[in-house]
Each structure stands twice: as C-alpha cells, then as structure tokens.
Amino acid sequence: MTAVGLFLEPSSPKLLGDHLFDVDSAAFAGDQLHAPYTHLKETLNAAGVAVHTSDRLSDPAFNDLEYKLYISIANLKHYEHLSTRDDITLSACFAMECPVVDPELYRGLDKAQRHFKRIYSWGDSESLARFINGSIAFEKFYWPQAYNDVHEETWAREDRGFLVIINSNKLPSVDWQELYTARLEAIAYFGERGEIDLYGQFWDQPSLRLGRTWIPWTLRALHRGYLSVIDRIKPDQRLAAARRVYRGRAASKRDTLGAYKFAICFENMISPGWITEKLFDCFYAGTVPVYWGAPEIGDLIPDTAFIDMRRFDSYDALRDYLLSLKQEEIDTYKRSARDFLRSAAFERFSKESFTKLIGGIVQEDAKVDLDLPGA
C-alpha cells in the first residue's frame, strides 16, 4: 500500500505532540471532547495511514512517506511556510471556531484558500460574509460529537435540581449576534430568585475578552491587573449576580448536568450552522436544554427534544413555562432527545461521519482506496 501520513495542526500548541488524540486532553472544556480525533486516528491507523499532529512533519521517521497530507484545525500560523515544500499537500483547513470568538481566523481565510485544496466551515459564505474578505467556497462539516448515545445511569437520574448553566466568564472579540451577554442576563435573572446554579471557570476574575491581539503579554497582564482592581472596587452588577450563584468548576459535564432538570444552553453566537457540543451534552445527561443559537436548529434536531428560547419574549415567560412543566412532560423532552441520538438524523454529527469525511480527503489526495468502516 502507498505510504501515507496525515498531519493535523491543532488550534493550540498545547495539543501538539499527539495530545490532540488524547480523549481527556481538554477535560476542562468537556467530557472526552477530543474523542472524534481519537476515533479518526485509530480508524485511519487501522487502514494503514499514519496520523499525527503537525509537529511530527519534521520527524525523520516520516521522510519516506509518499504522501504527507496536512490539515489545519483553525490554525493559520504555519501553512504559508509549509506550502513552499513540495513534499506536503495542504489538503484542508477547518474553521472550527465561530467568528465572534476568532475573527482573525476568518479574515485570513481568503488568503488561505489560495493554498489549501479545501476550506471547511459549519456555515457558508453568505452567513459569514461580514467576517471574511472576498468569497470563499466553503465545504460543509458538522461539529463532531464525542458520544452516540445517552449516559444511561445519568440520563435515568430522577433526583434533580431546577436549573443549571455551565460556562466560563468570557466575552467575545466581536459583539455582532453574540450570546455571551444573553447568558449573563439569564444568570442574573434566575440568580435573583435563587433558581440557577452556575459552573465554569474565571468567575472570580474580570471577564476575559477572547480573540488574538498584537498587544505584548506584559501589557496585557498589567491591563488584567488594572481590571481586577476596578472589579474589586466597583464590580459589574451582572458579574456580582453571577458570583452569588457560582458553584465552582464542573469536574464532569455529565455529572453536573445530570443533577438538574433544565440547562441554559446558549451558543456563543447566532449563526446558521453553528451547533456545538453544548446541546448534545444536555441530551446525553437527560437534561432538557433551553437552546438559543443556530436559527435552523429545528430543521436538524426535533423541536420536541429541546426548549427553544425564541418562543419566549422574556425570562418571566420562560420561567413560567419551566415551572409549569409536569414530570411526564419533562420526560417527553428527554425521550425525544434520546430517540434523536439513536436515529439516522444524528449521524451527520457523529465522530464516525467526521472520520469518513477526512478519510475521503485522504483517499482523494493520496490516490488510495482505504477500507474504512461505513464507507
């Protein structure tokens, strides 16, 4: 068989050294968040393809590979240098993050598409137009999920509190269509009534503004110190409200979500296609999500599986609805979500579909026929 290597560049250097493929390497962000990459590596390894992070491209052990395929996961720092090497194919770039968090990524995609054979996004050129330069022929992918079914023991749990939210104390780089502010408002509203528990990181600090910057680290540290002083003297009232209901970090999303009937489940922004793990984490745990995010969510996931925040014109109306639900109605939401996870409609979000997508790229670019499961 042709000697083929697939090298993935993760968004963070902390995931180099093949840590991208460790299922628990991002435990702070979620349960087995990297399981899709672990599955990808195991499946392609079994088909004879060497799979590693991009730092291994310089390993002499791979000098004799006939094909070296490079895929960037939301990282545009090194592709220009790699494009000058005639032994590497820049197969694809995946725009994994949303633009209100990483607008620089989207500003760089127009230039990147001149070097990569494919640019993948969860969205399309029309919905992302304000963030990109020119027009980009995006190919579609769905955010791959770690699990394919509910966590049975957690899902069946009956002794549950009322309402929870799991989020870090961050602010977006761009304010357009962002939902960070809406989450703070929901926490403040239900917190005043003692009806929500908040889990996550950085709530004992000023809000962390996301996005890349040219400002030197020393100046950024000084600025954070200044904000901390202001925060102690005159804290943002929404942050003060959040801290009153803050319960610390969630050691396990499964266990934390599974202790509540409902969860505030807002994406980072409103944009077509932007559906991350947040909704599915609730489904796995048997927690009914109050969802706000992708406008077309009802076309992809049954609206009987979640509570659509857009149905309510105020948090008063949402609260009245949540308190009115009988246990059998809550169970109907839970069963609908479980049925969806076990249906063909979920397959587009599965780690198997993600592996099949990248496996297809490998087959096309390396001109090989891989014996992939389900292919």
Side-chain angles (χ1 to χ4, degrees), residues 144-266:
Q145 302 304 313
Y147 305 99
N148 293 358
D149 205 346
V150 300
H151 307 309
E152 286 288 356
E153 185 174 348
T154 306
W155 187 90
R157 180 174 174 176
E158 296 180 353
D159 56 321
R160 295 174 180 250
F162 178 55
L163 182 63
V164 68
I165 183 170
I166 302 177
N167 274 110
S168 295
N169 179 24
K170 298 178 181 179
L171 292 174
S173 181
V174 177
D175 292 335
W176 188 79
Q177 294 288 73
E178 58 89 11
L179 288 173
Y180 288 81
T181 304
R183 289 196 290 244
L184 274 176
E185 292 170 350
I187 293 167
Y189 174 86
F190 287 101
E192 287 177 2
R193 293 156 179 78
E195 294 174 339
I196 193 169
D197 288 330
L198 165 65
Y199 293 85
Q201 300 184 83
F202 313 125
W203 290 100
D204 57 343
Q205 307 170 26
S207 300
L208 179 66
R209 180 71 67 174
L210 297 170
R212 307 171 202 184
T213 176
W214 58 268
I215 300 173
W217 183 88
T218 302
L219 292 180
R220 281 181 282 148
L222 288 172
H223 182 62
R224 288 287 294 169
Y226 168 76
L227 292 177
S228 296
V229 172
I230 298 300
D231 184 55
R232 288 194 294 271
I233 296 173
K234 189 177 181 181
D236 183 299
Q237 291 306 301
R238 294 174 302 180
L239 277 182
R243 287 164 182 160
R244 287 193 289 271
V245 296
Y246 180 49
R247 305 296 180 241
R249 293 181 61 169
S252 162
K253 275 192 175 182
R254 173 194 306 192
D255 295 339
T256 302
L257 288 170
Y260 297 86
K261 297 177 182 177
F262 306 104
I264 297 296
C265 179
F266 296 173

Side-chain angles (χ1 to χ4, degrees), residues 7-21:
F7 299 87
L8 276 65
E9 174 127 37
S11 58
S12 169
K14 295 178 181 179
L15 298 175
L16 293 171
D18 283 354
H19 291 300
L20 176 66
F21 310 108

Side-chain angles (χ1 to χ4, degrees), residues 3-66:
V4 181
L6 173 65
F7 299 87
L8 276 65
E9 174 127 37
S11 58
S12 169
K14 295 178 181 179
L15 298 175
L16 293 171
D18 283 354
H19 291 300
L20 176 66
F21 310 108
D22 297 339
V23 292
D24 295 320
S25 57
F28 64 92
D31 302 335
Q32 298 200 357
L33 202 61
H34 287 169
Y37 298 104
T38 305
H39 183 268
L40 170 69
K41 181 176 175 63
E42 292 174 348
T43 303
L44 293 190
N45 282 171
V49 178
V51 181
H52 297 282
T53 48
S54 57
D55 52 307
R56 299 292 301 279
L57 276 166
S58 58
D59 190 331
F62 302 116
N63 285 347
D64 294 333
L65 288 176
E66 187 171 348

Side-chain angles (χ1 to χ4, degrees), residues 47 128 223 255 259 283 322 344 348:
L128 297 170
H223 182 62
D255 295 339
F283 291 169
L322 296 181
R348 57 168 63 97

